[in-house]
């Protein structure tokens, strides 16, 4: 059995438990054991854009230091925001030697870190495994649309491969829809100070998806999921990527009970039947 | 910042301009002219760092980074917070997920 070093992040432990549950069971079905990085910490959720406040670099880079100390060459991330932060932090560690001298002072008990842990999104391994493992989903007409949001695809330098979510969903038998708002921001952290902005953005995204014939929205960002579910006026089923894959592969433990949106009858109809 | 040609593509791509009093390309112009602190705009606080502007900019300007710098200069580094954590209702703190709280506090508090 292959093993993947896995960074869950805060989201998968609080609110997105259904994502974590389905990651474990879907990857088990694909012969991959999920090994959680011990003693991980919050990555900071947003990549620090200021270059002169180095303390903000500590949180993401500490996780890279921990991963290296465990012998990890690749660290897999599921949350879109964590993925973006850790991937950019790894590039920072590799390229900013001067600043890293200061950052490394935070981790005196470890050897200096200057990069070396590759950050990958779980969708990359998921597609690779689906292509080699002899498992086919039930071909079906269910139309699903991936919602990429922002941090999985921007900045372009750190993006997952183009259309990777469509490729995964097609591989397991879905019909996919790419809608205009697929990578337009949901309102992100505005939900605290300006929920009106989030509500407007979410309504536009969901209405667009529904108008294109989408029967379920598929995503990988816990912040998007929270916002979309909170203002889901059109009752569009919202599922984690691995839940959508698990349903058609006949995986039973998908953590569907955690979902905040109404997902029946979609999940029942999409489920794999022997 | 100085490579900006004021084509306005950033403002066209931004999903939040309907809530902005000054458009993203106008923010850049004001920074260039050194009067960003005089115009007292809401715009940097409406920016959600979604990077749609950066993705479309033909000159490779990192506009999200500029918006971030403005927030820090006009308020955060003067010790003023945009999100007043102590004024948030307890239900907000209890019910909202960490990913939302942490990202908001990172952007809107010093």
């Amino acid at each position: 059995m292959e093993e993947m070093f896995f960074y869950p992040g805060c989201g998968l432990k609080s609110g997105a438990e259904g994502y974590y549950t389905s990651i474990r069971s879907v990857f088990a079905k694909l012969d991959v054991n999920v090994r959680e990085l011990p003693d991980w910490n919050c990555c900071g959720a947003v990549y620090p854009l200021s270059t002169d406040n180095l303390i903000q670099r500590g949180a993401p880079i500490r996780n890279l230091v921990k991963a290296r100390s465990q012998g990890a060459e690749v660290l897999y991330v599921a949350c879109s925001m964590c993925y973006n932060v850790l991937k950019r932090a790894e590039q920072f560690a590799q390229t900013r030697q001067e600043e890293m001298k200061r950052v490394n002072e935070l981790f005196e008990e470890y050897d200096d870190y200057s990069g070396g842990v590759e950050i990958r999104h779980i969708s990359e391994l998921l597609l690779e495994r689906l292509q080699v493992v002899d498992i086919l989903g039930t071909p079906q007409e269910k139309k699903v649309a991936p919602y990429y949001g922002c941090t999985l695809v921007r900045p372009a330098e750190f993006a997952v491969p183009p259309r990777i979510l469509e490729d995964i969903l097609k591989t397991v038998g879905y019909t996919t829809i790419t809608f205009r708002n697929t990578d337009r921001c949901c309102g992100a952290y505005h939900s605290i100070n300006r929920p009106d902005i989030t509500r407007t953005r979410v309504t536009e995204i969901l209405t667009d998806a529904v108008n294109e014939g989408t029967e379920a929205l598929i995503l990988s960002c816990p912040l998007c999921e929270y916002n979309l579910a909170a203002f889901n006026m059109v009752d569009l089923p919202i599922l984690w990527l691995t839940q959508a894959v698990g349903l058609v592969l006949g995986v039973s433990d998908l953590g569907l009970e955690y979902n905040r949106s109404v997902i029946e009858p979609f999940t029942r109809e999409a489920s794999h039947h022997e | 910042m100085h490579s900006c040609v004021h084509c306005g593509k950033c403002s066209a791509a931004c999903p939040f301009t309907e809530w902005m009093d000054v458009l993203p390309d106008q923010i850049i112009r004001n920074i260039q002219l050194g009067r960003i602190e005089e115009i007292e705009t809401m715009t940097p606080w409406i920016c959600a760092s979604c990077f749609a502007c950066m993705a479309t900019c033909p000159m490779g300007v990192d506009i999200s980074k500029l918006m971030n710098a403005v927030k820090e200069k006009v308020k955060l580094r003067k010790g003023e917070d945009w999100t007043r954590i102590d004024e948030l209702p307890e239900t907000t703190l209890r019910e909202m997920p960490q990913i939302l709280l942490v990202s908001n506090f990172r952007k809107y508090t010093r």
Side-chain angles (χ1 to χ4, degrees):
Chain A
M1 195 178 241
E2 199 178 315
E3 192 163 66
M4 74 164 168
F5 265 102
F6 184 66
Y7 174 84
C10 310
L12 272 65
K13 298 280 182 175
S14 61
E17 289 92 339
Y19 195 13
Y20 203 177
T21 306
S22 58
I23 286 167
R24 285 189 184 280
S25 43
V26 164
F27 276 102
K29 177 102 178 172
L30 298 173
D31 276 332
V32 179
N33 178 44
V34 177
R35 183 172 164 192
E36 185 175 311
L37 178 70
D39 194 30
W40 59 271
N41 57 273
C42 170
C43 69
V46 287
Y47 184 71
L49 293 175
S50 70
T51 38
D52 60 350
N53 186 2
L54 288 177
I55 193 69
Q56 295 180 339
R57 309 276 163 180
I61 288 171
R62 183 181 178 278
N63 291 301
L64 303 173
V65 171
K66 288 276 169 184
R68 185 196 53 183
S69 76
Q70 293 287 317
E73 288 172 12
V74 181
L75 183 63
Y76 282 94
V77 188
C79 162
S80 305
M81 290 180 76
C82 300
Y83 163 77
N84 182 274
V85 171
L86 294 174
K87 188 140 178 140
R88 298 185 76 172
E90 169 63 16
Q91 191 208 47
F92 183 88
Q94 283 180 21
T95 55
R96 306 294 283 267
Q97 281 118 359
E98 274 310 303
E99 288 94 336
M100 281 304 291
K101 279 183 196 159
R102 300 278 316 281
V103 176
N104 273 315
E105 288 170 14
L106 294 167
F107 317 112
E108 277 178 335
E109 68 273 35
Y110 293 93
D111 291 339
D112 281 357
Y113 189 76
S114 56
V117 177
E118 185 190 355
I119 301 297
R120 296 188 90 205
H121 189 253
I122 58 153
S123 59
E124 299 174 73
L125 184 62
L126 187 55
L127 184 58
E128 286 162 13
R129 294 301 296 176
L130 285 168
Q131 285 165 343
V132 295
V133 175
D134 190 23
I135 296 175
L136 281 179
T138 321
Q140 53 178 291
E141 315 242 301
K142 284 270 165 224
K143 296 191 185 98
V144 299
Y147 175 64
Y148 287 88
C150 306
T151 52
L152 212 48
V153 289
R154 284 187 302 273
E157 200 182 337
F158 307 98
V160 293
R163 301 265 186 271
I164 190 168
L165 302 186
E166 278 93 337
D167 288 345
I168 290 168
L169 294 164
K170 278 180 195 156
T171 302
V172 296
Y174 287 103
T175 305
T176 63
I177 288 171
T178 304
F179 65 114
R180 196 175 59 90
N181 273 278
T182 188
D183 63 350
R184 301 262 288 169
C185 182
C186 70
Y189 40 79
H190 276 310
S191 311
I192 293 177
N193 319 59
R194 294 291 303 268
D196 58 310
I197 293 180
T198 311
R199 190 190 305 114
T200 307
R201 287 298 312 129
V202 167
T203 305
E204 205 174 313
I205 292 161
L206 294 177
T207 308
D208 181 16
V210 168
N211 287 346
E212 294 294 326
T214 304
E215 292 171 77
L217 199 70
I218 313 301
L219 42 64
S220 72
C221 175
L223 182 51
C224 297
E225 192 273 342
Y226 177 82
N227 287 338
L228 290 163
F231 299 110
N232 189 353
M233 306 304 181
V234 293
D235 283 336
L236 181 64
I238 298 171
L239 293 166
W240 299 109
L241 172 65
T242 36
Q243 288 180 330
V245 170
L247 280 177
V248 288
L249 294 187
V251 176
S252 51
D253 189 13
L254 295 174
L256 298 170
E257 66 277 15
Y258 293 108
N259 287 40
R260 279 181 271 234
S261 304
V262 178
I263 51 175
E264 286 281 355
F266 177 86
T267 48
R268 190 169 4 100
E269 290 165 8
S271 292
H272 172 84
H273 302 289
E274 293 293 345
Chain B
M1 173 183 89
H2 294 292
S3 55
C4 171
V5 292
H6 300 283
C7 68
K9 285 189 78 165
C10 51
S11 300
C14 177
F16 297 102
T17 47
E18 66 181 277
W19 298 280
M20 290 176 176
D21 47 5
V22 176
L23 292 172
D25 62 300
Q26 296 172 325
I27 290 287
I28 297 177
R29 188 65 183 140
N30 278 285
I31 297 172
Q32 289 173 337
L33 297 172
R35 58 184 190 206
I36 194 66
E37 284 182 277
E38 294 159 32
I39 60 170
E40 291 186 8
T41 168
M42 276 289 290
T43 295
W45 308 97
I46 299 297
C47 168
S49 304
C50 78
F51 303 110
C53 48
M54 184 192 187
T56 195
C57 177
M59 303 306 289
V61 179
D62 190 345
I63 302 155
S64 312
K65 196 171 177 175
L66 294 176
M67 292 287 189
N68 201 70
V70 174
K71 281 191 287 213
E72 300 216 346
K73 187 167 175 60
V74 303
K75 218 178 209 351
L76 303 180
R77 293 204 184 181
K78 291 178 180 168
E80 297 169 52
D81 292 339
W82 182 259
T83 299
R84 306 281 176 84
I85 298 175
D86 52 353
E87 290 173 16
L88 290 177
E90 219 180 301
T91 47
T92 299
L93 294 169
R94 203 180 305 121
E95 287 164 17
M96 291 189 167
Q98 279 98 321
I99 192 169
L100 173 55
L101 297 169
V102 173
S103 56
N104 185 287
F105 298 166
R106 277 241 165 173
K107 288 290 180 181
Y108 293 147
T109 65
R110 65 206 115 111

